[in-house]
Amino acid sequence: MAAISPSTNQISPANERLYHQSALVGDWKGNWVGNNQPVSFKVVNIRGSRAQVEYTHQGHTERGFGQVSGTLITFNGVTVGTKDGKNMVLLYSVGNVGRQTANLEKQAPPASDSNLMGSWGGYSADNGKSASFRVLAINGKEATVSVTTDGITRQGTGYVYKNAIMFGQSQISTDDGKNGKIIYQVGSKSFSVPVTKYPPADSSSSVDKTA
């Protein structure tokens, strides 16, 4: 069986400027106009004039490659398009069956392990505690981390679960990849520190320097 192509997009800069084709990429869900039955359309990636897609209707999923033309993708009698990157119109038309229309909305991507990647830090005015959490690498359920709490830095391998990483007596969690929370325990006491992700260093200063 052929390997599934990677989910990278190869959209020409000219097409992106003109059509914003990257707005088509993602999970779209909604209902048919009339019978209100659920329907969904997923654009996995766009590579030139081809889009890897999944079209689900009546509990059945069709997978394959659609044809990209401007702001539209056509696949197995279905044409989809979006103007704002939030709402999609899906038009089904095959032979003399007539036309069916559905209105879909883009679904928020699920919390991703990659949201946790990076350096986090913050201070809690409630308990006077500061903490930092650096996520250096994520490999499946394991993460290479460096955690500083109460002035003590510990490094090692943490455990990834959904949108959180647990390491020793500390854990970090985030919902949006920008703001998060570090909870750590000292003895029988637990402390919570709100944290934000630091912007990534530019390429000229990306060498890891230990303070």
Side-chain angles (χ1 to χ4, degrees):
M1 184 175 176
I4 296 174
S5 63
S7 60
T8 53
N9 298 300
Q10 293 179 348
I11 303 170
S12 76
N15 280 358
E16 183 60 17
R17 281 196 304 271
L18 200 58
Y19 304 119
H20 302 292
Q21 289 178 342
S22 62
L24 289 159
V25 178
D27 277 301
W28 302 82
K29 292 184 179 180
N31 303 89
W32 292 109
V33 174
N35 62 23
N36 212 36
Q37 290 185 350
V39 59
S40 65
F41 198 91
K42 180 177 183 178
V43 182
V44 179
N45 61 52
I46 294 175
R47 301 168 78 83
S49 61
R50 291 209 316 169
Q52 185 179 348
V53 301
E54 298 177 6
Y55 167 47
T56 302
H57 58 108
Q58 296 177 324
H60 172 67
T61 299
E62 299 174 29
R63 296 178 175 86
F65 291 91
Q67 183 70 28
V68 182
S69 177
T71 58
L72 303 175
I73 296 175
T74 304
F75 172 72
N76 286 6
V78 167
T79 301
V80 299
T82 180
K83 289 183 178 180
D84 58 9
K86 299 175 183 177
N87 301 284
M88 173 180 278
V89 174
L90 184 152
L91 178 66
Y92 175 79
S93 179
V94 175
N96 298 320
V97 176
R99 291 188 172 192
Q100 270 187 295
T101 305
N103 297 311
L104 313 181
E105 288 185 355
K106 181 175 275 190
Q107 306 300 297
S112 168
D113 294 345
S114 60
N115 280 347
L116 292 156
M117 283 290 295
S119 297
W120 302 78
Y123 169 80
S124 172
D126 293 338
N127 54 33
K129 298 289 187 179
S130 62
S132 66
F133 207 113
R134 295 178 64 205
V135 183
L136 306 172
I138 294 178
N139 183 13
K141 292 295 182 184
E142 294 185 344
T144 305
V145 301
S146 173
V147 184
T148 302
T149 54
D150 290 345
I152 300 172
T153 300
R154 298 175 178 86
Q155 298 181 344
T157 301
Y159 175 72
V160 182
Y161 180 72
K162 293 186 178 179
N163 61 343
I165 294 176
M166 284 150 275
F167 174 69
Q169 298 297 306
S170 60
Q171 79 165 49
I172 187 171
S173 61
T174 179
D175 289 327
D176 59 7
K178 299 175 184 177
N179 302 287
K181 182 167 60 176
I182 292 175
I183 298 174
Y184 70 98
Q185 196 166 341
V186 178
S188 60
K189 289 187 176 181
S190 181
F191 301 98
S192 177
V193 178
V195 292
T196 56
K197 183 186 286 187
Y198 299 125
D202 60 47
S203 56
S204 63
S205 61
S206 61
V207 177
D208 183 26
K209 296 177 182 176
T210 304

